[in-house]
Amino acid sequence: MPKWGIRKRILLLALLPAITIALLLALFFVHTKLSSIDQHFVERGNSLSRQLAVASEYGITEAQREQLIVLANATLEEADVRSLIIFDRYHRALVQAGPKTLLTPHLEELSTRVQIHKRGDETSLFIAPVDNQRTVTQPLELAATTPANTLEKPLGWIALELSHTHATIEKYHTLLTTLLLLAIGIVINWLIALHITGGVVNPLEKITQAVTAIREGKLDTRVYTQGGEELQVLESGVNSMAESLSRAYDEMQHNIDQATEDLRETLETIEIQNIELDIARKEALEASRIKSEFLANMSHEIRTPLNGILGFTNLLLKGHLNSQQKDHLTTIKKSSEILLTIINDILDFSKIEAGKLVLDRSPLKLREIIEDVMVMLAPAAHHKNLDLAALVYNDVPNNLMGDALRIKQIITNLVNNAIKFTQTGEVTTRVMMEDMESDGKHLTLRINVTDTGVGLSRVQQQSLFNAFAQADTTTSRQYGGTGLGLVISKRLVEEMGGEIGLESELGKGSSFWFTFKTELAASVSHESSLPQFNGEKVIYLESQTTTGMVVKHLLEQMNLSVTQVESPVELVKKIIYAQTSHQGYELAIIGLSRHMMNSNQYRISLRELEANRDCRTLLLTPTLDDMNQPLLEICSGHLTKPIQQQRLGEMLVRLLRHHPPAGQLQISTYPGAGEQPRRASNEPTILAVDDNEANLKLVEALLSGMHIKVHTATNGFEALTKAKLMQYDLIFMDVQMPGMDGTEATERIRACGTGSYQTPIVALTAHALAEEEKNLLRKGFDDYLTKPVSEQQLQDVIAHRTGFRPTLQLPAPALDQAVTPMRPSRTHRLDRCIDITECIQLAAGKADLAEELFTMLLEHLPLDLNAIRQHYHEKDLEALLMRVHKLHGATRYCGVPDLRQAAEAMEVALKQQSDLSKPVTNLIAAIEQVLRWTDENDWRTQMRSTIKPDQSSTANATT
């Protein structure tokens, strides 16, 4: 309606009220008329039925049936009367005139003295009682005092059925008449409204045509409508506007001519300025080239010594050191890494300012990137007792396209800042879906990094994303840095098509967020690699709320039934109660913070679960400097926070399915696309070339530690000579060397090459600019490594170029732990494992004899355990029966109820030749439980301290 024209609005105002009033009056008239017809019909039926009741009283009393028939036939002559039935007092039909009634009177309707009206679809039935005139005409005083149930029963009833036909016809006639009158009134109103509209709209159309002509440039147009007073005012305004526009056009034309002349003069000035700007541009390009060369040289000069510092520090950390030496080396390593970070920030900022930053676009797995950042920064967070956790929402896909290195750089920067400025509490990273386009492939993700640190004021927030700016710029500031991290992150986010911002309040922490646009990668699998279980019951205790939420979510994703508890006491109680009801938990997961590692309460709880309740436990701890922790020796499994999805899945497979995940220990190699590695199993021979003695020693030490044959050269001439004398499997070539640099040496080695095999040459350079890598690859190098070089980088390149995977020196405990089968948890109630009092009772109350008998049992249990397993595996039932019978006899003299019961059940099963799988499993578990209990408890002291048998309630040791 807001877009309607004047014509429609006038027609609406003219027609709507009149039509509304006419409709209301018509409705009122029709309703009143139809109600009157219905009321008249009912009154006529009631009146006619009453008259018939009075007229038929004599005929019913005197049994004059002929008279009643005459009366009935006469009644049928009346309009709308369809049928008539006269009943006597016994409900018998005396007379029936007309067709059968459509509405049949019921017995209860023929038993009342009240007149009844029943309405049907086509007819209405009127029932009136035929009263005895004597009863009706009795005195009013007697009628008032006579009870209703003592009045005489009516002589009979009249059932009169009237048709609705005439009434319905009359109703239709009323409706048609009303509609006809309503239509005539609307048509007359429409004609009047059209006439009024024409008198208003036609002049307006003339004015509109005139305005259109003026807009098209016909400024001599004038309008004359001869309309009403208001239209004449509008007509005068349009004409005045046309005159004003004509004068303004003439003035504008004059100004254009003047401006054209001024522009000619300005163009001459601009041409001179362009010449000057071109000269300035050339000077700026030269300055930029000099700056790039300076940055490249600075990178080389700083990274070269850093390579030696970091490399030899890592080598020293692998040796045998005392705590002070290890602490000093760790400090050197951290300081070097900080210096390397500063250099990288400066180089990144330089590339961004020069517009040379190019983002990669390749498949990536976002969850793995988040987990890598969390694991890398976990030691710093755990050192401050912070809870570091990452929440990746379910709707966030894992298979994406983008620059994995830059995304990781942004997240690392934000999380590292959050850890730096947070003293207590937590640092949480959340990854969520911001938006998805209609094609289902392009999407926008949002990553939030929230901390509970010092927070930022509004003034600090305004300058935070400026280059070289920091929240605290005073000389007494607590936190250092270059101030480039956030500005680099901001520019990277903008290159990805996203935004970055923060929400912070001083003293209440900060929340940094950024968004970036990406799309789904078809080449990366989007299916989850998590194992799926069958609803096994797991109980979980976590001291850190956010980590607890993350781990519980991961467990539920793997189809595990998780019960979360708040304290160690509640944990133990629930496990005991569940085992009592034979619905025990398959695994207990316990998450600790740093200050809980020496907790005696947790040590007692873990010992109770593992030793006494035979329940497997998985310990989640922060990063530990010392792995020789008492709690780690008790638990069945151990993971370091923050929890990685893949590691958690592998650990749960081992603890719940009782075997290591398939392919866990396999190490694969990956030759380059289209390349055939020369060696696959033999150790390669590698040539390392570097003019810096420290770097050359470092590469030689790293390669020798991988059991690889390595030759060295200190310049390009020496490298060329050695390459001519021997064909190497791989050459690591420094680029910048005096005399013959690495590029020239590579070209000459390529020129001297013979045969179909070409030696791979990998550039080792301290230059970290993006164009450096392209130049080196274009000049003949096969690969490119930036100093400082890590041991892992060397391993990957060697595997890629030679097909030889250097041996990974994994700690022996971790390797053993990964392949050792795990015994399942006991899910039913445990009987008493060791009963010290019973031992003494069975030894006639002599503690020394009880100790001797129990010692003899323990000495034979390992042998019995191995023999039972061997006989059962070899199906030697006779030998198995003899061994079990002997063990059963020994248990009769010692207080080992659980073992005694298991041995007896096994012996019975052997004698009855029934299924042995369950009895032998229970027997082996009972033997292991006894051995485990005796290892964890000082049973000799308990036995010697138990003096009297009646003190068993205080000296009883059960599980």
Side-chain angles (χ1 to χ4, degrees):
M1 182 174 176
K3 296 182 180 180
W4 286 5
I6 296 177
R7 184 187 300 274
K8 292 183 179 179
R9 291 173 182 265
I10 294 176
L11 289 175
L12 180 64
L13 293 175
L15 293 175
L16 184 60
I19 293 175
T20 303
I21 295 172
L23 286 174
L24 292 175
L25 291 176
L27 289 174
F28 176 76
F29 172 75
V30 169
H31 179 266
T32 304
K33 186 64 176 176
L34 296 181
S35 300
S36 175
I37 292 173
D38 289 337
Q39 183 178 0
H40 177 71
F41 180 81
V42 173
E43 290 176 354
R44 183 168 176 271
N46 289 332
S47 174
L48 189 57
S49 61
R50 284 196 301 270
Q51 292 174 8
L52 287 173
V54 174
S56 61
E57 184 266 338
Y58 175 76
I60 294 174
T61 305
E62 300 300 332
Q64 295 294 330
R65 191 169 182 276
E66 292 78 3
Q67 182 183 357
L68 294 176
I69 292 173
V70 172
L71 178 62
N73 291 333
T75 304
L76 288 177
E77 299 297 329
E78 294 289 334
D80 298 332
V81 176
R82 184 177 180 275
S83 62
L84 172 66
I85 304 175
I86 302 175
F87 295 92
D88 62 4
R89 67 174 57 194
Y90 303 107
H91 310 129
R92 294 177 299 187
L94 297 178
V95 174
Q96 180 172 356
K100 183 179 179 181
T101 58
L102 298 178
L103 300 174
T104 304
H106 298 290
L107 183 60
E108 58 271 13
E109 296 171 348
L110 299 177
S111 301
T112 178
R113 302 184 64 88
V114 182
Q115 192 170 4
I116 296 175
H117 169 220
K118 288 178 61 178
R119 184 177 182 88
D121 295 334
E122 299 179 5
T123 61
S124 293
L125 183 64
F126 297 89
I127 302 174
V130 180
D131 294 320
N132 191 339
Q133 295 301 319
R134 180 183 61 81
T135 305
V136 175
T137 58
Q138 65 179 332
L140 294 176
E141 297 79 0
L142 182 60
T145 57
T146 302
N149 56 2
T150 61
L151 294 176
E152 288 187 12
K153 188 176 183 181
L155 297 177
W157 289 268
I158 300 297
L160 177 65
E161 186 178 33
L162 298 183
S163 175
H164 295 166
T165 303
H166 291 88
T168 303
I169 293 173
E170 189 175 355
K171 288 181 180 180
Y172 284 135
H173 182 267
T174 301
L175 287 174
L176 289 174
T177 304
T178 304
L179 290 175
L180 182 60
L181 293 175
L182 181 63
I184 294 173
I186 291 174
V187 170
I188 294 174
N189 193 21
W190 176 270
L191 295 175
I192 295 174
L194 285 178
H195 179 72
I196 296 174
T197 303
V200 176
V201 174
N202 293 335
L204 289 177
E205 289 179 349
K206 293 182 180 180
I207 294 175
T208 303
Q209 293 173 358
V211 171
T212 302
I214 294 172
R215 185 186 62 187
E216 294 174 353
K218 302 175 181 178
L219 301 181
D220 57 345
T221 302
R222 300 294 183 268
V223 60
Y224 302 99
T225 61
Q226 297 180 355
E229 181 179 353
E230 295 82 358
L231 293 175
Q232 290 179 359
V233 172
L234 181 59
E235 171 189 321
S236 175
V238 171
N239 294 334
S240 299
M241 178 188 68
E243 294 176 0
S244 300
L245 288 175
S246 179
R247 289 193 300 269
Y249 178 79
D250 296 338
E251 184 178 354
M252 180 186 67
Q253 190 63 39
H254 174 73
N255 292 335
I256 289 174
D257 295 338
Q258 182 65 36
T260 303
E261 183 65 26
D262 295 339
L263 182 60
R264 290 193 185 96
E265 298 177 358
T266 304
L267 286 176
E268 295 177 359
T269 305
I270 292 176
E271 186 175 358
I272 298 173
Q273 292 177 347
N274 285 339
I275 297 173
E276 296 174 350
L277 287 174
D278 186 59
I279 297 173
R281 176 178 174 276
K282 292 179 180 179
E283 293 176 352
L285 290 175
E286 180 65 18
S288 177
R289 185 188 63 80
I290 295 173
K291 183 188 72 172
S292 298
E293 290 180 358
F294 167 76
L295 289 174
N297 292 330
M298 181 192 71
S299 171
H300 181 271
E301 296 301 325
I302 298 178
R303 284 175 181 271
T304 299
L306 269 181
N307 184 46
I309 295 172
L310 283 172
F312 283 108
T313 302
N314 289 327
L315 288 177
L316 288 174
L317 285 173
K318 294 180 180 180
H320 298 285
L321 305 170
N322 58 40
S323 59
Q324 185 177 14
Q325 292 171 333
K326 187 175 181 180
D327 184 61
H328 290 171
L329 288 173
T330 303
T331 303
I332 294 173
K333 180 181 178 181
K334 289 182 178 179
S335 300
S336 302
E337 289 174 346
I338 292 172
L339 180 58
L340 183 61
T341 301
I342 294 173
I343 296 171
N344 290 334
D345 285 346
I346 295 174
L347 291 177
D348 285 341
F349 181 72
S350 175
K351 283 186 268 187
I352 291 173
E353 288 295 314
K356 296 182 179 180
L357 181 67
V358 179
L359 295 180
D360 186 21
R361 190 160 189 81
S362 58
L364 60 90
K365 291 189 175 182
L366 184 60
R367 182 179 291 275
E368 281 73 0
I369 292 175
I370 300 294
E371 290 182 348
D372 288 345
V373 173
M374 296 296 107
V375 171
M376 179 177 64
L377 300 179
H382 294 159
H383 183 73
K384 301 173 73 173
N385 290 325
L386 300 179
D387 186 9
L388 183 64
L391 296 170
V392 182
Y393 289 21
N394 288 337
D395 59 346
V396 177
N398 197 34
N399 52 319
L400 301 173
M401 296 291 294
D403 193 329
L405 181 63
R406 295 305 181 181
I407 294 175
K408 186 175 182 180
Q409 181 180 357
I410 298 170
I411 300 173
T412 302
N413 193 1
L414 296 183
V415 176
N416 193 32
N417 281 348
I419 295 173
K420 183 192 299 184
F421 294 99
T422 304
Q423 298 301 324
T424 59
E426 64 182 18
V427 175
T428 306
T429 302
R430 291 179 172 83
V431 185
M432 63 198 75
M433 178 80 72
E434 178 82 4
D435 185 30
M436 176 173 282
E437 297 184 8
S438 57
D439 59 2
K441 295 182 179 180
H442 295 78
L443 58 150
T444 302
L445 296 182
R446 179 185 178 99
I447 299 180
N448 278 53
V449 178
T450 306
D451 62 67
T452 56
V454 296
L456 297 167
S457 65
R458 292 186 178 180
V459 176
Q460 292 171 337
Q461 294 178 35
Q462 292 175 357
S463 61
L464 199 60
F465 289 99
N466 297 332
F468 306 103
Q470 292 186 332
D472 185 4
T473 57
T474 63
T475 56
S476 60
R477 60 194 175 114
Q478 182 178 359
Y479 308 102
T482 60
L484 289 176
L486 288 178
V487 69
I488 292 174
S489 299
K490 180 180 180 182
R491 299 292 287 272
L492 290 176
V493 169
E494 291 173 350
E495 288 289 331
M496 297 178 187
E499 299 177 350
I500 189 170
L502 78 153
E503 298 171 2
S504 181
E505 186 174 351
L506 196 62
K508 295 185 179 181
S510 305
S511 177
F512 283 82
W513 58 267
F514 73 93
T515 62
F516 65 96
K517 296 182 181 298
T518 181
E519 60 181 300
L520 298 180
S523 59
V524 180
S525 174
H526 65 277
E527 297 180 359
S528 174
S529 58
L530 290 176
Q532 292 299 311
F533 297 93
N534 298 319
E536 287 87 342
K537 295 177 62 178
V538 174
I539 189 167
Y540 180 35
L541 168 63
E542 178 58 64
S543 59
Q544 295 173 320
T545 305
T546 306
T547 296
M549 181 169 58
V550 174
V551 175
K552 184 178 180 182
H553 178 67
L554 287 176
L555 295 174
E556 290 174 345
Q557 276 188 314
M558 290 182 273
N559 195 27
L560 292 172
S561 176
V562 185
T563 302
Q564 201 160 2
V565 294
E566 301 295 333
S567 66
V569 176
E570 184 182 358
L571 174 74
V572 176
K573 285 183 178 179
K574 280 188 175 292
I575 291 177
I576 294 175
Y577 178 78
Q579 288 183 346
T580 303
S581 58
H582 290 253
Q583 296 179 352
Y585 294 94
E586 300 286 346
L587 179 65
I589 304 177
I590 302 175
L592 302 178
S593 57
R594 197 178 187 89
H595 66 276
M596 294 178 179
M597 293 304 300
N598 297 320
S599 170
N600 189 48
Q601 183 182 19
Y602 279 93
R603 186 184 301 110
I604 295 173
S605 300
L606 277 173
R607 193 180 300 278
E608 172 70 17
L609 296 179
E610 287 283 354
N612 298 338
R613 295 296 156 190
D614 199 19
C615 178
R616 304 287 72 76
T617 57
L618 172 60
L619 209 59
L620 310 180
T621 69
T623 306
L624 301 176
D625 298 329
D626 184 11
M627 296 300 293
N628 297 322
Q629 298 285 341
L631 295 181
L632 301 184
E633 299 175 359
I634 304 173
C635 64
S636 300
H638 169 241
L639 290 176
T640 302
K641 300 178 184 178
I643 301 304
Q644 293 176 272
Q645 174 178 281
Q646 188 65 29
R647 292 184 60 195
L648 178 62
E650 293 174 356
M651 180 62 72
L652 291 176
V653 167
R654 172 175 168 258
L655 294 175
L656 296 177
R657 294 179 179 168
H658 323 303
H659 60 79
Q664 180 179 354
L665 300 178
Q666 296 178 358
I667 300 176
S668 60
T669 59
Y670 54 99
E675 300 176 7
Q676 296 296 329
R678 186 180 181 189
R679 298 170 183 259
S681 58
N682 297 331
E683 297 174 358
T685 302
I686 296 177
L687 175 64
V689 185
D690 200 314
D691 65 321
N692 186 281
E693 184 178 358
N695 286 336
L696 190 60
K697 286 184 178 180
L698 173 62
V699 174
E700 183 180 7
L702 292 176
L703 295 177
S704 298
M706 301 177 196
H707 307 289
I708 294 176
K709 300 175 185 177
V710 56
H711 296 174
T712 60
T714 57
N715 54 62
F717 294 105
E718 186 179 354
L720 179 61
T721 302
K722 290 190 175 184
K724 289 179 179 180
L725 297 175
M726 179 178 180
Q727 188 169 11
Y728 292 96
D729 298 289
L730 180 64
I731 298 177
F732 287 109
M733 179 74 71
D734 186 22
V735 176
Q736 187 170 332
M737 293 183 294
M740 181 186 294
D741 61 12
T743 302
E744 185 180 354
T746 299
E747 292 175 353
R748 293 195 179 187
I749 292 173
R750 294 278 188 246
C752 297
T754 57
S756 59
Y757 177 74
Q758 188 179 46
T759 302
I761 302 178
V762 178
L764 287 180
T765 177
H767 293 273
L769 299 179
E771 59 272 13
E772 181 71 13
E773 178 179 1
K774 297 178 181 178
N775 292 334
L776 292 175
L777 295 178
R778 190 166 52 248
K779 291 178 180 178
F781 288 96
D782 297 286
D783 213 334
Y784 168 92
L785 287 180
T786 303
K787 297 177 184 178
V789 181
S790 67
E791 187 175 9
Q792 185 62 46
Q793 287 177 315
L794 291 176
Q795 289 175 353
D796 293 339
V797 170
I798 293 170
H800 182 68
R801 295 297 171 185
T802 69
F804 174 78
R805 169 64 70 176
T807 304
L808 297 177
Q809 300 294 332
L810 297 177
L815 188 59
D816 294 342
Q817 185 182 29
V819 298
T820 303
M822 180 58 59
R823 185 179 68 260
S825 298
R826 186 75 67 94
T827 58
H828 58 273
R829 182 180 65 84
L830 292 171
D831 292 330
R832 291 173 298 168
C833 175
I834 308 296
D835 192 334
I836 301 298
T837 303
E838 186 180 1
C839 286
I840 298 175
Q841 288 176 348
L842 293 174
K846 299 179 180 180
D848 54 348
L849 178 59
E851 181 179 350
E852 183 179 355
L853 293 174
F854 192 68
T855 302
M856 293 173 61
L857 176 66
L858 291 179
E859 289 176 351
H860 289 85
L861 275 182
L863 300 176
D864 292 337
L865 180 60
N866 294 331
I868 289 171
R869 285 174 172 167
Q870 182 179 356
H871 295 330
Y872 179 75
H873 179 70
E874 295 175 353
K875 306 297 183 182
D876 190 353
L877 301 184
E878 184 177 352
L880 181 60
L881 177 59
M882 292 178 60
R883 177 68 69 168
V884 172
H885 177 74
K886 182 179 178 182
L887 175 62
H888 183 204
T891 60
R892 291 291 177 179
Y893 299 98
C894 298
V896 284
D898 188 20
L899 179 57
R900 185 189 308 128
Q901 181 180 356
E904 181 180 3
M906 183 66 182
E907 186 175 358
V908 171
L910 284 168
K911 291 179 179 180
Q912 295 179 352
Q913 296 183 355
S914 57
D915 184 21
L916 299 179
S917 58
K918 185 175 181 180
V920 74
T921 302
N922 293 338
L923 179 59
I924 292 174
I927 295 173
E928 291 176 342
Q929 182 69 9
V930 170
L931 294 174
R932 188 163 52 253
W933 189 92
T934 54
D935 289 340
E936 299 289 341
N937 296 275
D938 189 3
W939 58 273
R940 287 187 173 86
T941 302
Q942 296 182 28
M943 192 172 291
R944 293 169 185 173
S945 63
T946 305
I947 307 301
K948 297 179 181 180
D950 57 1
Q951 296 176 345
S952 60
S953 61
T954 60
N956 196 9
T958 62
T959 63

